[in-house]
């Protein structure tokens, strides 16, 4: 006999588990802590993650020292302003990163709020239960959860069935059913049981749960650099070294010509030439990308998966629940010759009244929408449930036998062969099957009344989404267990590029490997244990939160809302992350061209007067030119912070079109904006007599 559980109030403090309060992620709520963190991040140990910004900080320190060593060629006021703006450049970059992290931390705090003081009823070796803090639970522990209590950790239901409110995690207040066995057995920690009870086997140690991963992800504390970020870091370090060599060699050229360049100006030149813009915003872009993923209620196990999503070539999508609604729906009735539409509707209605399946309910709903038919009292009918043996269901009512079911089963029930069906009805049955639908026959007292057309209804707007993906160069493959004929009909309606019919776990795995061997990245989603091998093999595998533990462990992403269509949004976010990083890198490198024209003529004006032809901006003085470039270099980071956090929107277009757009907006813009900006700053500095 199982021990009665302790009262609920002894277990948990019962935090509010309605939809969680929206975290304060507005700029007004974040700028103060971000400003403080900008100064904290001046610590070189923290700044080493961004090599370019570390170089800028070292140059700022060096310039500050030079301010104390007056140079007759450089007014102290100008040197001091250069030093101040170099410090601002580092602070603005730190501020951008702190702002991105602050948004994540705000979300993390709202997630942590529901887990404070959580307790659990753990089963002991002798079968009794003891109340322990949730933090003491380990993988393999079995806990009992009653209605009204919080589930203390991620796990799998091993006994019971209950409704669970997952608002604390997903924001969706409508309860979902969780039960032992099948593909809806996984539960998430910090969600509340609203009915019955469950016996749950814990599947994650403290610090490894879905909630913990979500918190770590949004905080950005444990964020590892992705391969693309590492590659870009190497590029930026390479460019910094090249420009360092260039700047160092300028002094010998000046000495050769009988002149000299002030060290302050050389330091300023180095900072303006190295890619400080992308160097300062790179971390913020990555953190903001992960934040957008979390807002989508998707947990990624690594940034690598998000980037891979941006590079995928093939999307493998389950038909049921993704491309179509989860259940077949009644879309039409076809009466047999000699039978009126009302007779068929009445027979189909009665045969479906006791059918609790989604298909049965859709038939009743469809007929009620067509006709106002009388319905018998529930006490006057005897339900005949569907069985695998008979493949029929219906009712016995007023000595009348009403049945509906598969074509062959109903024909056998009324004693007819397939060839004995009237041609008109036979043609309709064939049409339904050829269109990808499922025909059901209806009979009463051994007489065929007609056919019901059950159809997988394609979700609205899905065809347009697939068309957009096609423009981005992404192929869609529909995966279904249906026969090839049915699969082809639904695929044509949905607008997918390819079909994998009669799919088995082995077939899915083979198809993914085939695509990967051809050099393509593959993304897929799944929820069942049979999807686990394919999810593990795919470059981007997204498991459903309500699916099996095996699927969740095999995938590198988990969708908390259990919405398979979310995979399309994940791909969009991955694309945005890559495009944003590419766009700002293009802009940053293009900036250097304008700074050449601003600073080099100013530096060598007295040594090489011939370089005066390059002074296309006609800046006021060498000091003004250099200071203007430094100020612009700092301010442009501030201007681009919103773009880094929001991301560049990806429009449906080919890779060539996206590249052209990128070069036109951010390449050409990166050339033009500095010319205009530096000239305006020069005019302002001159007007204010700061140089």
């Amino acid at each position: 006999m199982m021990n009665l559980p302790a009262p609920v109030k002894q277990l948990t403090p019962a935090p509010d588990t309605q939809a969680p309060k929206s975290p304060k992620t507005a700029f007004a709520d974040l700028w103060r802590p971000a400003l403080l963190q900008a100064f904290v991040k001046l610590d070189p140990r923290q700044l080493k993650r961004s090599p370019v910004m570390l170089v800028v900080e070292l140059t700022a320190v060096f310039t500050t020292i030079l301010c104390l060593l007056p140079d007759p060629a450089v007014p102290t006021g100008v040197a001091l302003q250069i030093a101040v703006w170099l410090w601002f450049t580092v602070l603005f970059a730190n501020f951008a990163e702190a702002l991105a992290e602050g948004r994540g931390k705000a979300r993390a705090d709202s997630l942590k709020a529901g887990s404070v003081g959580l307790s659990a009823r753990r089963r002991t070796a002798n079968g009794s239960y003891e109340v322990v803090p949730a933090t003491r639970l380990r993988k393999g522990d079995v806990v009992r959860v009653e209605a009204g209590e919080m589930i203390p950790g991620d796990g799998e239901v091993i006994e019971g069935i209950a409704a669970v409110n997952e608002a604390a995690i997903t924001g969706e207040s409508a309860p979902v059913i969780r039960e032992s066995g099948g593909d809806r057995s996984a539960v998430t920690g910090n969600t509340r049981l609203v009915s019955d009870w469950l016996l749950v086997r814990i599947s994650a140690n403290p610090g490894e749960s879905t909630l913990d991963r979500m918190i770590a992800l949004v905080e950005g504390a444990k964020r590892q650099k992705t391969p693309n970020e590492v590659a870009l870091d190497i590029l930026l370090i390479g460019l910094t070294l090249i420009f360092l060599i260039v700047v160092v060699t300028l002094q010998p050229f000046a000495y050769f010509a009988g002149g000299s360049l002030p060290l302050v100006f050389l330091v300023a030149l180095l900072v303006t030439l190295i890619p400080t813009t992308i160097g300062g915003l790179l971390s913020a872009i990555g953190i903001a990308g992960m934040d957008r993923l979390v807002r989508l209620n998707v947990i990624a196990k690594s940034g690598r998966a998000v980037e891979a999503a941006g590079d995928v070539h093939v999307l493998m999508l389950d038909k049921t629940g993704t491309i179509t609604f989860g259940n077949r729906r009644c879309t039409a009735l076809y009466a047999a010759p000699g039978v009126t539409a009302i007779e068929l509707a009445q027979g189909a209605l009665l045969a479906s009244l006791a059918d609790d399946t989604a298909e049965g309910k859709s038939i009743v709903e469809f007929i009620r929408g067509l006709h106002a038919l009388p319905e018998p009292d529930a006490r006057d009918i005897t339900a005949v449930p569907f069985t695998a043996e008979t493949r029929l269901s219906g009712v016995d009512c007023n000595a009348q036998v009403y049945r509906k079911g598969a074509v062959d089963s109903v024909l056998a029930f009324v004693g007819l062969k397939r060839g004995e069906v009237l041609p008109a009805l036979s043609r309709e049955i064939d049409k339904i099957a050829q269109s990808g639908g499922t025909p059901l026959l209806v009979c009463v007292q051994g007489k065929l009344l007609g056919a019901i057309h059950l159809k997988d209804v394609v979700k609205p707007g899905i065809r347009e989404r697939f068309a957009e993906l096609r423009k981005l160069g992404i192929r869609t493959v529909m995966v279904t267990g249906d026969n090839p004929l049915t699969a082809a009909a639904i695929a044509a309606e949905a607008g997918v590029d390819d079909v994998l019919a009669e799919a088995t776990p082995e077939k899915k795995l083979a198809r993914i490997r085939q695509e990967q061997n051809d050099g393509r990245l593959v993304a897929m989603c799944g929820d069942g244990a049979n999807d686990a091998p394919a999810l593990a093999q795919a470059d981007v595998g997204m498991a459903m939160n309500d699916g099996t533990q095996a699927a969740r462990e095999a995938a590198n992403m988990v969708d908390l809302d259990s919405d398979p269509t979310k995979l399309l949004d994940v791909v969009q976010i991955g694309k945005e992350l890559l495009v944003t990083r590419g766009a700002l890198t293009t802009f940053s490198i293009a900036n250097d061209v304008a700074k050449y024209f601003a600073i080099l003529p100013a530096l060598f004006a007295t040594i090489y007067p011939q370089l005066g032809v390059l002074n296309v901006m006609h800046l006021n003085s060498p000091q003004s030119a250099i200071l203007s470039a430094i100020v612009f270099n700092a301010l442009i980071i501030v201007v681009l912070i919103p773009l880094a956090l929001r991301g560049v929107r990806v429009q449906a277009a080919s890779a060539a079109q996206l590249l052209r757009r990128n070069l036109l907006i951010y390449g050409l813009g990166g050339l033009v904006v500095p010319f205009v900006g530096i000239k305006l700053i020069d005019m302002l500095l001159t007007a204010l007599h700061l140089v």
Side-chain angles (χ1 to χ4, degrees):
M1 187 79 179
M2 195 169 286
N3 291 5
L4 287 173
V8 172
K9 60 176 95 176
Q10 291 183 14
L11 289 179
T12 42
D16 184 14
T17 54
Q18 298 307 308
K21 293 179 182 177
S22 298
K24 295 181 178 180
T25 57
F27 181 79
D29 300 310
L30 298 177
W31 74 269
R32 287 186 182 86
L35 194 60
L36 179 64
Q37 280 298 308
F39 285 93
V40 173
K41 289 177 181 289
L42 289 175
D43 184 345
R45 290 171 296 183
Q46 292 199 38
L47 216 55
K48 68 181 181 182
R49 285 176 59 88
S50 178
V52 175
M53 285 299 108
L54 184 59
V55 170
V56 177
E57 183 177 46
L58 293 174
T59 58
V61 172
F62 185 60
T63 309
T64 305
I65 294 170
L66 290 176
C67 290
L68 304 174
L69 306 170
D71 186 338
V74 183
T76 305
V78 172
L80 190 61
Q81 287 181 75
I82 290 173
V84 168
W85 282 104
L86 287 178
W87 283 112
F88 275 160
T89 304
V90 185
L91 285 169
F92 290 155
N94 290 348
F95 180 76
E97 184 178 4
L99 206 59
E101 287 178 353
R103 290 197 338 189
K105 283 187 171 70
R107 296 185 196 282
D109 290 340
S110 69
L111 291 168
K112 288 175 183 175
S115 61
V116 179
L118 197 59
S119 303
R121 190 186 295 107
R122 184 173 63 185
R123 190 166 70 183
T124 60
N126 63 8
S128 62
Y129 290 87
E130 60 176 352
V131 177
V132 297
T135 52
R136 284 177 52 190
L137 292 176
R138 294 294 181 270
K139 191 173 181 178
D141 285 348
V142 175
V143 297
R144 182 179 173 97
V145 191
E146 299 280 339
E149 295 173 11
M150 301 279 283
I151 297 173
D154 290 3
E156 192 151 18
V157 179
I158 58 174
E159 194 177 325
I161 178 170
V164 181
N165 182 354
E166 296 186 340
I169 301 293
T170 66
E172 178 56 57
S173 58
V176 292
I177 302 299
R178 295 289 179 265
E179 59 185 322
S180 59
D183 292 345
R184 298 292 179 268
S185 60
V187 290
T188 308
N190 285 74
T191 55
R192 184 178 291 276
L193 235 66
V194 294
S195 74
D196 304 288
W197 60 272
L198 292 176
L199 216 57
V200 177
R201 181 182 288 113
I202 299 297
S203 60
N205 292 322
E208 299 172 1
S209 69
T210 299
L211 187 69
D212 294 319
R213 287 209 307 271
M214 195 173 185
I215 290 168
L217 191 67
V218 298
E219 283 183 329
K222 297 181 181 178
R223 197 181 73 89
Q224 298 296 312
K225 287 192 176 183
T226 62
N228 278 347
E229 280 184 293
V230 172
L232 188 53
D233 262 345
I234 293 169
L235 172 65
L236 298 182
I237 291 168
L239 288 173
T240 302
L241 289 172
I242 290 168
F243 286 124
L244 180 62
I245 295 167
V246 168
V247 170
V248 168
T249 57
L250 288 179
Q251 190 70 282
F253 279 107
Y255 282 139
F256 181 76
S260 177
L261 298 174
L263 280 177
V264 173
F265 288 177
L266 287 174
V267 168
L269 177 64
L270 173 64
V271 171
T272 54
L273 292 186
I274 63 177
T276 49
T277 308
I278 184 63
L281 296 173
L282 186 58
S283 185
I285 293 167
I287 295 169
M290 299 302 269
D291 181 60
R292 285 199 294 279
L293 198 69
V294 169
R295 274 186 281 158
L296 200 63
N297 267 352
V298 175
I299 302 297
K301 294 181 181 178
S302 70
R304 186 190 296 265
V306 187
E307 283 194 347
D311 282 329
V312 296
H313 305 94
V314 179
L315 276 181
M316 292 184 65
L317 301 162
D318 271 329
K319 179 202 72 174
T320 307
T322 307
I323 294 170
T324 65
F325 290 102
N327 302 298
R328 295 169 301 171
R329 298 183 178 187
C330 175
T331 56
L333 300 176
Y334 300 98
V339 178
T340 65
I342 294 292
E343 284 178 311
L344 171 59
Q346 185 72 52
L349 178 67
L350 288 170
S352 307
L353 274 178
D355 188 351
D356 284 332
T357 65
E359 289 86 354
K361 289 175 181 176
S362 79
I363 295 169
V364 173
E365 186 183 340
F366 180 80
I367 294 170
R368 283 172 176 168
L370 285 180
H371 308 286
L373 298 173
E375 297 181 21
D377 192 273
R379 291 170 296 184
D380 297 333
I381 62 175
T382 304
V384 179
F386 176 89
T387 65
E389 290 79 24
T390 64
R391 297 175 69 200
L392 295 171
S393 66
V395 299
D396 296 338
C397 179
N398 299 326
Q400 300 281 308
V401 176
Y402 296 89
R403 295 289 186 273
K404 74 171 191 315
V407 172
D408 294 340
S409 302
V410 173
L411 290 177
F413 184 74
V414 299
L416 290 176
K417 293 181 180 177
R418 187 70 169 85
E420 296 173 352
V421 180
L422 292 172
L425 182 59
S426 184
R427 281 196 299 272
E428 292 297 345
I429 293 169
D430 292 339
K431 279 183 188 176
I432 294 170
Q434 288 166 7
S435 69
T438 302
L440 298 182
L441 290 182
V442 183
C443 68
V444 58
Q445 294 297 103
K447 177 187 176 184
L448 283 181
L449 296 179
I452 299 170
H453 187 171
L454 290 182
K455 181 182 176 184
D456 273 318
V457 179
V458 174
K459 289 182 177 180
I462 203 82
R463 189 181 184 91
E464 289 74 19
R465 295 201 70 176
F466 288 158
E468 288 178 11
L469 290 171
R470 200 172 295 113
K471 288 179 183 176
L472 289 168
I474 298 170
R475 287 173 56 245
T476 49
V477 179
M478 186 181 83
V479 180
T480 176
D482 291 338
N483 63 71
L485 186 67
T486 302
I490 295 169
E493 187 178 351
V496 296
D497 298 305
D498 203 356
V499 180
L500 182 64
E502 296 176 342
T504 61
E506 292 78 18
K507 273 192 176 182
K508 293 179 191 177
L509 196 59
R511 178 60 181 264
I512 292 172
R513 284 174 175 165
Q514 180 192 328
E515 296 285 358
Q516 289 171 333
N517 290 337
D518 292 339
R520 289 185 281 269
L521 296 184
V522 181
M524 79 160 285
C525 59
D527 58 2
N530 62 349
D531 292 322
L535 288 170
Q537 181 66 37
D539 300 280
V540 179
M542 191 173 81
M544 303 295 102
N545 189 48
D546 64 1
T548 59
Q549 195 62 33
R552 298 206 302 184
E553 287 177 0
N556 49 22
M557 288 187 185
V558 178
D559 176 27
L560 298 176
D561 296 329
S562 302
D563 176 10
T565 57
K566 199 80 70 70
L567 188 59
L568 305 177
D569 299 311
V570 170
V571 168
Q572 185 77 11
I573 288 173
K575 286 275 184 200
E576 284 178 3
L577 185 63
L578 295 177
V579 169
T580 302
R581 199 180 291 145
L584 292 184
T585 302
T586 305
F587 185 90
S588 181
I589 293 172
N591 269 347
D592 289 342
V593 177
K595 293 166 190 173
Y596 271 118
F597 281 96
I599 295 182
L600 285 180
L603 276 177
F604 290 94
T606 55
I607 303 171
Y608 295 105
Q610 299 89 336
L611 288 177
V613 297
L614 297 178
N615 189 14
V616 293
M617 285 185 271
H618 301 291
L619 301 176
N620 189 60
S621 66
Q623 291 92 339
S624 171
I626 291 164
L627 188 55
S628 299
I630 286 288
V631 173
F632 175 84
N633 204 52
L635 293 180
I636 198 66
I637 293 176
V638 180
V639 172
L640 292 174
I641 286 175
L643 185 64
L645 297 181
R646 192 184 69 248
V648 176
R649 295 288 176 261
V650 178
Q651 298 175 342
S654 66
Q657 289 172 315
L658 287 173
L659 181 61
R660 247 191 331 267
R661 183 174 174 271
N662 183 28
L663 291 174
L664 185 64
I665 297 175
Y666 299 99
L668 188 61
L671 286 173
V672 173
V673 169
F675 278 99
V676 176
I678 290 171
K679 180 63 179 177
L680 290 173
I681 293 169
D682 175 74
M683 292 165 64
L684 184 63
L685 292 175
T686 306
L688 296 173
H689 304 291
L690 293 173
V691 288

